[in-house]
Amino acid sequence: MRIKDENKKAAITKAIIGLINEIGFANISMSKIAKATGLSAATLYVYYENKEDMFRKVYMDVKKQMIEECSKDICPQENVQEAVRKLCENLLRYMQDNTDEFLFIEQACNSPMATDEMIEELAQYNQDTIRTFQRGVQEGLLKQTSPALLISFCYYPIQQIFKEWRKEKSMLPEVDFEVVFQMCWDAIKR
């Protein structure tokens, strides 16, 4: 059995993300990935069983990284409004610094390849964020609804505005994300 090299794995992951963003999952093949990385197709099978396994593993790794980055520097006892603001700022920073990965996640989470089992596993990584919103509900600061819905009202607008804003011919040439963050807070506060 061949030993896995982390540098090769990172190059493979980068190629997978780039190709899926460019041509979509349906049009990607192990040979196209091998060509993009300069590795043999046989080398890819050291890391992944097949195309579906590759998709699942890359999606899970990238999504976990995004979740970790979004909850970075959030203290469990922190003021809920400040914690939510940090989550929103961290999300924006992640999207700016990792645009290819973010676009890959957007495409992947809407794919039938993203199974319920994968979503459940990812929910485990999101527990700190969920607890922050649960605390906000319990303290009467946030609307009395599920944390998942509250999180969606923060993350989804930021993601959609970011995607539109980064387009060359955007209908949103100037975006003040401070205003966006405030609007997200206004949508979820009680």
Side-chain angles (χ1 to χ4, degrees), residues 131-189:
R131 277 192 283 277
T132 298
F133 283 84
Q134 283 173 329
R135 191 164 48 90
V137 170
Q138 291 166 350
E139 292 175 7
L141 298 170
L142 301 178
K143 289 183 169 72
Q144 299 292 308
T145 189
S146 78
L149 184 59
L150 296 169
I151 293 167
S152 296
F153 266 82
C154 288
Y155 282 19
Y156 191 71
I158 294 167
Q159 292 169 335
Q160 295 309 310
I161 290 167
F162 176 78
K163 286 190 303 189
E164 177 59 35
W165 172 71
R166 64 176 289 282
K167 291 178 184 175
E168 190 174 316
K169 295 187 179 192
S170 172
M171 61 183 196
L172 300 170
E174 298 292 324
V175 176
D176 181 347
F177 279 96
E178 295 297 320
V179 173
V180 175
F181 298 151
Q182 185 61 49
M183 291 173 74
C184 291
W185 177 253
D186 290 345
I188 66 169
K189 74 179 181 181

Side-chain angles (χ1 to χ4, degrees), residues 4 22 24 39 45 47 52 66 68 87-88 107 112 117 121 127 130-131 145 149 156 165 170 186 189:
K4 295 179 181 179
E22 183 181 331
L39 300 170
Y45 289 101
Y47 299 89
E52 290 76 17
M66 181 181 155
E68 287 172 11
L87 286 163
C88 292
Q107 208 176 136
E117 178 183 282
E121 183 179 337
Q127 288 304 308
I130 291 168
R131 277 192 283 277
T145 189
L149 184 59
Y156 191 71
W165 172 71
S170 172
D186 290 345
K189 74 179 181 181

Side-chain angles (χ1 to χ4, degrees), residues 27-45:
N27 297 317
I28 201 169
S29 67
M30 296 302 254
S31 62
K32 286 179 184 175
I33 296 165
K35 185 176 178 181
T37 59
L39 300 170
S40 71
T43 299
L44 297 178
Y45 289 101

Side-chain angles (χ1 to χ4, degrees), residues 103-118:
L103 294 174
F104 167 77
I105 290 168
E106 284 287 289
Q107 208 176 136
C109 71
N110 293 314
S111 163
M113 298 293 290
T115 64
D116 289 343
E117 178 183 282
M118 292 166 64

